[in-house]
Every structure is written in structure tokens, then in C-alpha cells.
Amino acid sequence: MAAAAQSLPISIRGVSKHYGSVAALDNVSLEIAAGEFVTLLGPSGSGKTTLLNILSGFIRLGQGEVFFGDENVTLVPPHKRNIGLVFQNYALFPHMTVAENVAFPLNARKVPKAKIVERVKWALNLVKLDGFGERGAHQLSGGQRQRVALARAVVFEPKIILMDEPLSALDKQLREHMQIELRHLHETLGATTVYVTHDQREALTMSDRVAVLNHGRLIQLDKPRALYDSPVDAFVADFVGESTLLPVRRHDNESVTLNGTRLRTSRSLPPGDDLILVVRAEKLLPAARSASNVNLLPGRVREVVFQGESVAVFVELGQGQTVVMRHPTNQESLAALPTAGQETTLSLHPESTIVVPASR
Ligand SMILES: Nc1ncnc2c1ncn2[C@@H]1O[C@H](COP(=O)(O)OP(=O)(O)O)[C@@H](O)[C@H]1O
Ligand SMILES: [Mg+2]
């Protein structure tokens, strides 16, 4: 987080929005600090765009209030919110040059000509498009267009920037490159940023905190690491990271049973009887001969799949339950991996033995 002077906190208070009988948003409250980068993450239809459009003012909320700093903006129209916006589909003016596109918000704000030239140059430099000003918007690649859209969003130095899946039209390599660049851009600008994606890896890569939405409800708001290590329920555990979810029974306060095998956890179990064990693919290990102090899971290897940087090993634990164990492709870990058809024992450290309620 940087330069709080360049940013404003956002307070979303009890916001709901219905379309007929569909609750696009159901009583969502969220406090975003000045200068923070918060990502709205969730599957398609979970309400991400609806919430972003409520912040931009394009959609009227049904219930609740939105504050930017001390100002209640609930009824303020979009053009008076002074927000930088970036969408998935660039939305550049095709008949204009790059510079004209970027200058658009400044012209709309009646900024003096000389100042506009200076600001456009600054913004194009920021997105690494120096010298592209005179190009036609239609003469650019997808990645370049999205940079122009970014430059246009930040050229008037908004205190709040909203982005809705801005990278999802780009190919994987460019997308991953732009994720890091956007993160750096955020550090430079310091504006409070709300970013929408359905890609959990993108959310973990970019955000100070991630807000997970499902069916219009805010399920969990946490830092990336906490989201990954301590999902609040089976939905978050399944959506973030690669895991197998297995129903288990409570044994006592710190352990559960899976097919009669007792598994200890290093944290206290959640309340309720509907408990799910979250087995992260990379936390499973082939059990060392001397393994003690870990949970042991006997099984049979179904399949070993080479996938480039990692190898996935599918192990059937019994009763049709198959877990996936994933390891990096290096000599050391390859040598330790079992082969297809083999009986094996996997180990899971109590600290990596995550148990969540089926739902909250
Ligand atoms: N204009 C609309 N009319 C009717 N239903 C809508 C409208 N916009 C969104 N919805 C519904 O609201 C829910 C949330 O949509 P949306 O916010 O676009 O989700 P996301 O961006 O997470 O994919 C979905 O069920 C969607 O079908
Ligand atoms: Mg959307």
C-alpha cells in the first residue's frame, strides 16, 4: 500500500440488489482501506460485476449505502464519482488516436491543453507506451489496447480505480505479465483499487485482500495467504487452490476420522457435524519410512501424470475417494514418488490438515 493522500477508503454497508427473485447481491458489507488493492473473486454469476457497478454508480442498489471517505455516494451519479474504470473489452474509441483516447477524461474535465499534453505523456509512459500517441486505437494488439485503457483510467489521477476482469481477454503469458505490471502500477499510483476476477490465482497474485463472493454473498475477506491456509468453508477451500474435499467425522476437538483413520489437526475444529477435510495437492507427501507425528493415509496409486513443471499423482484412499498429490518436477521429488498400481502411504502434516464446515 502506498500514498494515502492519493486515495480514499471505500465503505460498502449492507448492500443488496435483486433482479426479480434473484439476489445478485445479498447484504454485502465491506471496508476497503485507503490505497488498498482488494479483489472481488467468485464464479460467474456470483455478483462481482454488480458490486463493481454499484461502486461506479452505473447500477442503483436496492438497499444499503456506499461511502468514499466521508462522502455518502449512494445517490451520486457515475460521472461525479471521479473513478478510473477499466473493463474486459477495452472500450477504446476506435476512430481516435491513442493520445486522444487517453486525453478523453481530461477534455471532459476541461483541463487546459498544455496540461493535457503533459498528463497524456505521463500516463503513456506509466503503461510503457511512450511514442504510441499518434497510433490509431485499431492499430494495437490486445495487450496494448488494455494498456491504453489503463492509461485513460489513471490519467486524471483518480483516488479510486475499478477494474472488471481487465486481463481475461489476453493470453495466459501476457495475462501473467500484466498481473505483475498492474501490481507495480498500483504501488506507484497508490489509488484504492477494486479488481474483479474469477481467476483465483490472479486474485492471490495481485491483491492485498481478496473478497470471495458466492450467490451474491460475501463468504470470506482475507489476505491471500490466510484465504489459502484458512478457508472458512468448503466453497472457499474448493475455489481457491487445488484440493480434494472429503467428508470426515469429528473424533474430538483436534482430530477427525476418515474411513476409520484418525487425523490430527493443529487447530481447533469448527462447530457442527458437517465437516470436510481439505487436502491440498501440494501438502501431501509420500510417507517416509520413519514418519511419525504426521497423519498417514494408506491408498493405492491410480495414475501418475507428468504435467511439465509438476507431476500429479492420483491416489485412491478407499471407498472411491481419490486425492491428488502434486510435486515439482525435480530429481529429488521424482525419485520419491510412487508409481501407478502401487500400494502407498501418504502423509499429511497436522498443520496442513484443514477441516472446514460444509457451509457457513
Ligand atoms: N441486468 C440484469 N438483469 C437480470 N439479472 C441480472 C442482471 N445483471 C446481473 N444479473 C444476475 O445477477 C447475478 C450476478 O451477476 P453478475 O454481477 O454479473 O455476476 P458476475 O460478475 O460475478 O459474473 C447473476 O445471477 C446474473 O444473472
Ligand atoms: Mg462479471
Side-chain angles (χ1 to χ4, degrees):
M1 261 183 264
Q6 292 302 320
S7 59
L8 276 176
I10 299 173
S11 175
I12 298 164
R13 305 180 184 174
V15 167
S16 295
K17 175 76 185 176
H18 286 78
Y19 291 106
S21 61
V22 175
L25 285 176
D26 184 5
N27 194 19
V28 171
S29 294
L30 181 55
E31 298 292 327
I32 301 174
E36 198 175 16
F37 193 121
V38 167
T39 295
L40 309 179
L41 172 70
S44 176
S46 57
K48 308 180 295 294
T49 294
T50 302
L51 183 52
L52 205 75
N53 282 335
I54 282 171
L55 295 181
S56 68
F58 289 123
I59 293 181
R60 273 293 167 82
L61 44 71
Q63 262 175 2
E65 289 180 318
V66 176
F67 283 74
F68 293 167
D70 295 332
E71 189 190 0
N72 184 340
V73 297
T74 311
L75 300 175
V76 174
H79 65 278
K80 295 205 171 139
R81 294 195 183 194
N82 227 20
I83 282 172
L85 289 169
V86 186
F87 301 104
Q88 177 182 346
N89 52 6
Y90 323 126
L92 298 183
F93 305 108
H95 56 284
M96 289 186 187
T97 65
V98 166
E100 285 165 349
N101 265 284
V102 177
F104 191 84
L106 301 176
N107 281 317
R109 286 170 175 76
K110 308 263 185 296
V111 174
K113 276 275 165 319
K115 179 83 176 163
I116 289 182
V117 172
E118 181 193 314
R119 294 303 304 165
V120 169
K121 195 157 185 270
W122 169 83
L124 287 178
N125 172 261
L126 198 68
V127 299
K128 305 200 172 102
L129 282 179
D130 302 277
F132 278 72
E134 297 319 307
R135 287 255 192 123
H138 60 281
Q139 292 172 300
L140 302 172
S141 68
Q144 289 169 334
R145 270 183 232 175
Q146 204 49 302
R147 282 168 205 264
V148 175
L150 259 177
R152 187 178 60 184
V154 304
V155 69
F156 58 99
E157 295 185 89
K159 294 187 163 129
I160 292 173
I161 299 175
L162 307 177
M163 299 194 233
D164 195 349
E165 312 237 7
L167 305 182
S168 48
L170 307 180
D171 63 51
K172 183 166 181 282
Q173 212 174 349
L174 186 56
R175 198 163 66 231
E176 288 177 355
H177 176 76
M178 289 288 288
Q179 287 167 5
I180 305 293
E181 272 197 21
L182 273 180
R183 182 69 224 180
H184 290 162
L185 188 71
H186 171 71
E187 280 156 16
T188 307
L189 295 172
T192 309
T193 303
V194 184
Y195 187 95
V196 164
T197 184
H198 62 271
D199 178 342
Q200 51 97 16
R201 200 149 185 268
E202 184 163 296
L204 297 179
T205 301
M206 302 183 69
S207 323
D208 293 318
R209 287 188 301 163
V210 179
V212 182
L213 296 175
N214 191 24
H215 297 309
R217 285 173 45 229
L218 176 61
I219 308 294
Q220 186 168 8
L221 171 67
D222 249 319
K223 293 182 174 165
R225 189 66 199 263
L227 198 66
Y228 192 78
D229 289 341
S230 307
V232 296
D233 70 5
F235 172 78
V236 177
D238 195 29
F239 197 70
V240 178
E242 181 184 20
S243 29
T244 310
L245 305 191
L246 303 169
V248 287
R249 285 169 191 275
R250 180 189 304 277
H251 181 82
D252 56 29
N253 251 346
E254 283 143 15
S255 61
V256 293
T257 52
L258 172 70
N259 308 332
T261 307
R262 185 171 161 200
L263 305 173
R264 285 177 301 117
T265 82
S266 64
R267 359 176 175 189
S268 53
L269 294 178
D273 283 331
D274 231 351
L275 299 179
I276 305 286
L277 172 69
V278 182
V279 184
R280 297 287 191 207
E282 76 287 3
K283 304 285 190 193
L284 280 175
L285 293 167
R289 263 177 270 285
S290 61
S292 65
N293 218 22
V294 294
N295 297 312
L296 297 175
L297 300 166
R300 178 185 291 276
V301 179
R302 306 287 318 187
E303 212 165 348
V304 180
V305 184
F306 174 77
Q307 292 180 319
E309 82 289 351
S310 67
V311 178
V313 182
F314 295 87
V315 178
E316 191 176 323
L317 298 181
Q319 304 194 356
Q321 298 162 327
T322 301
V323 292
V324 56
M325 165 167 78
R326 181 174 294 284
H327 282 278
T329 313
N330 60 42
Q331 287 313 327
E332 204 182 333
S333 82
L334 285 184
L337 291 180
T339 52
Q342 230 182 327
E343 300 271 348
T344 187
T345 303
L346 306 179
S347 73
L348 187 63
H349 200 277
E351 269 170 30
S352 302
T353 303
I354 306 168
V355 178
V356 296
S359 71
R360 288 213 305 170

